[in-house]
Amino acid sequence: MAVDYVLKVSKEGFDVRTAAPKDLIFDSTKNQMKVAVVLSEEFTSNGSNQLRTLAHDLGYIPGYLAFVKIGSRWYGNLGEDPIQGFLWQFYADDTNIYLDLGDPGASAQTIKIKVYVLVDGATDTIIDTEVDDDWGIKVSRPGESVLTAPAHKLNISTKFVEMLQIREVKTIQNTGGDVEEAHGLGYRPAWVAVAKDNAGVLYGSSIAFLVPYLLVGNLELMVWSDLTNIGTRGEAIVGIDFTFKVVVLNNRLE
Amino acid sequence: MPVNYGIRISQQGVDATIAQPYQLLLDERFPLFKVHMEGEDIVSLPGASSVGSKTIAHNLGYRPIVLVYGEVKDGSSKRYLINGKSPFLDFFGGDEVFMYAYVTDNDLVVEVDSGSPIGTDKEYRFHYYICYDDLEF
């Protein structure tokens, strides 16, 4: 039977009945990525490398967006901070989210972590989670009862923290220095960022990839947020134009 | 003119009409990440090669936001969010390859690079989400 019911909201200026999927705010026929749990930790650096472990208790390897605060800046899931030289990377298994932190021997300071652990898995193995209470707005995937569907079989659920794309920041980098733009939110937001090599000097101009991106000692593309700004930085790209697009999320890191 | 239409859902205990963005679950102004394609796949790396790749057609006609989670050691139980190149540094040893991911107007491409041939055939699994959301470069 053809689907003849749907809940859609289009972007301003688009007819919801004919809008392309990219011009919709949400669409109940599509899975919208959802946050299962938000993990936070604060610890003190000690001049040595550390492995930090945050339990997610999902029983499967989840997708995630991860951030670390060093100094006043919230950086993404991997990187090298250009001020003190900390190095880090996050990864996940079916029990924990991990942060590998390489400490350059800097003076002791507070480091903060925030991880948005997704309902959506990082493999094709997802264990059914507890069925939500029967309240809120929920839309299940085709063939699933909305009353009994576990989290990963729901397209929309108001139980979960959502990742809303509240604005975009575009910068062009070619100096190797910092480029910042005010976000005006009054808090430090999470983000997703991509970049491309405009003229195809180092990479094809037709491709785009997630940042941060690091070839230590060669090319480093960094993004951060602080209380005031979204910042971008491209080391070792002097004279080569890279465009960054930062999708600023509603989620508050701090 | 104040907005007097739309759909907004706030977190429990917060008035939806005055909620800050971080207190909202749904808002007619702010797109969610809508998944166009999701799947699990493998990059094969023959023992005599140092690079391998896998192309997945999305056919959207524009560069979409993608999230890729991959393993950088054959059979590993760890998954990394794959950026331009990730992980960039091996703190604890045991990783075999770098894994990259990028998008074009019609494809997602995932590549691995071991630097030099490993000598035995390897496979590196990854899981991907290709969203409808347009990067609009």
Side-chain angles (χ1 to χ4, degrees):
Chain A
M1 186 178 72
V3 174
D4 57 359
Y5 52 86
V6 68
L7 178 62
K8 292 182 182 179
V9 174
S10 60
K11 294 179 180 175
E12 189 172 9
F14 291 90
D15 185 331
V16 75
R17 295 165 298 182
T18 57
K22 69 183 178 65
D23 297 320
L24 294 172
I25 298 295
F26 68 87
D27 177 349
S28 66
T29 67
K30 310 287 190 278
N31 179 36
Q32 338 274 302
M33 302 193 79
K34 296 171 287 292
V35 177
V37 62
V38 182
L39 303 175
S40 300
E41 192 191 42
E42 186 175 316
F43 63 97
T44 302
S45 65
N46 58 15
S48 300
N49 294 352
Q50 295 192 49
L51 176 65
R52 309 299 301 188
T53 300
L54 290 80
H56 57 66
D57 296 327
L58 291 174
Y60 59 88
I61 308 176
Y64 62 88
L65 295 178
F67 301 87
V68 61
K69 186 183 183 187
I70 297 172
S72 62
R73 295 173 172 180
W74 281 93
Y75 296 101
N77 65 297
L78 62 82
E80 177 182 22
D81 95 89
I83 298 171
Q84 300 178 81
F86 283 96
L87 294 160
W88 68 92
Q89 62 187 17
F90 286 88
Y91 58 91
D93 66 15
D94 60 6
T95 308
N96 298 309
I97 302 290
Y98 301 89
L99 167 69
D100 277 343
L101 181 73
D103 191 321
S107 57
Q109 60 199 277
T110 300
I111 307 286
K112 296 182 179 180
I113 301 170
K114 196 146 195 177
V115 184
Y116 297 90
V117 182
L118 304 182
V119 170
D120 311 277
T123 72
D124 57 358
T125 302
I126 293 187
I127 296 170
D128 284 356
T129 50
E130 184 179 353
V131 176
D132 299 345
D133 294 334
D134 191 14
W135 52 268
I137 294 177
K138 297 193 289 185
V139 179
S140 59
R141 296 186 180 184
E144 298 289 337
S145 166
V146 75
L147 296 177
T148 57
H152 65 279
K153 292 179 180 174
L154 294 171
N155 280 347
I156 294 175
S157 171
T158 55
K159 174 183 176 181
F160 297 108
V161 172
E162 300 283 359
M163 297 183 293
L164 309 180
Q165 303 169 46
I166 62 175
R167 63 167 300 192
E168 297 169 1
V169 173
K170 276 189 184 178
T171 67
I172 294 179
Q173 280 280 359
N174 61 14
T175 67
D178 296 350
V179 176
E180 294 184 301
E181 182 172 321
H183 54 65
L185 290 172
Y187 61 88
R188 299 160 183 86
W191 43 265
V192 173
V194 293
K196 76 177 180 75
D197 178 355
N198 292 347
V201 175
L202 300 176
Y203 307 100
S205 61
S206 63
I207 73 170
F209 47 79
L210 276 186
V211 288
Y213 171 62
L214 282 94
L215 282 169
V216 173
N218 292 297
L219 175 65
E220 302 180 12
L221 306 179
M222 301 296 295
V223 178
W224 65 86
S225 69
D226 61 23
L227 187 58
T228 308
N229 295 315
I230 294 293
T232 61
R233 180 183 180 91
E235 292 186 2
I237 59 168
V238 175
I240 303 172
D241 283 354
F242 271 78
T243 295
F244 286 66
K245 179 176 175 179
V246 183
V247 179
V248 181
L249 305 180
N250 66 314
N251 310 91
R252 185 174 67 168
L253 294 169
E254 185 182 15
Chain B
M1 187 176 74
V3 173
N4 59 3
Y5 62 89
I7 178 170
R8 296 183 190 183
I9 298 175
S10 59
Q11 295 175 358
Q12 190 172 14
V14 178
D15 183 337
T17 62
I18 59 172
Q20 295 297 307
Y22 67 86
Q23 297 169 316
L24 289 166
L25 302 174
L26 207 58
D27 186 310
E28 83 284 351
R29 299 168 297 175
F30 305 140
L32 295 166
F33 291 99
K34 300 167 292 294
V35 177
H36 167 51
M37 292 172 63
E38 172 190 354
E40 180 90 358
D41 217 316
I42 293 170
V43 181
S44 297
L45 184 64
S49 301
S50 60
V51 293
S53 71
K54 184 77 173 193
T55 298
I56 294 165
H58 60 72
N59 295 320
L60 287 170
Y62 56 83
R63 285 166 286 195
I65 290 175
V66 298
L67 294 175
V68 177
Y69 297 91
E71 62 184 22
V72 290
K73 180 180 180 183
D74 189 356
S76 171
S77 60
K78 303 175 185 175
R79 290 282 169 119
Y80 295 81
L81 174 59
I82 300 302
N83 301 57
K85 191 162 189 172
S86 174
F88 68 99
L89 187 66
D90 182 0
F91 289 115
F92 295 97
D95 296 343
E96 295 172 342
V97 293
F98 291 119
M99 183 177 278
Y100 315 65
Y102 58 87
V103 288
T104 66
D105 284 350
N106 290 302
D107 294 319
L108 162 67
V109 181
V110 179
E111 297 182 346
V112 298
D113 185 342
S114 60
S116 58
I118 294 174
T120 56
D121 294 351
K122 298 285 186 180
E123 292 186 331
Y124 301 98
R125 295 180 300 164
F126 62 93
H127 198 80
Y128 63 87
Y129 296 90
I130 301 171
C131 296
Y132 283 104
D133 306 273
D134 187 355
L135 295 176
E136 294 179 353
F137 275 120

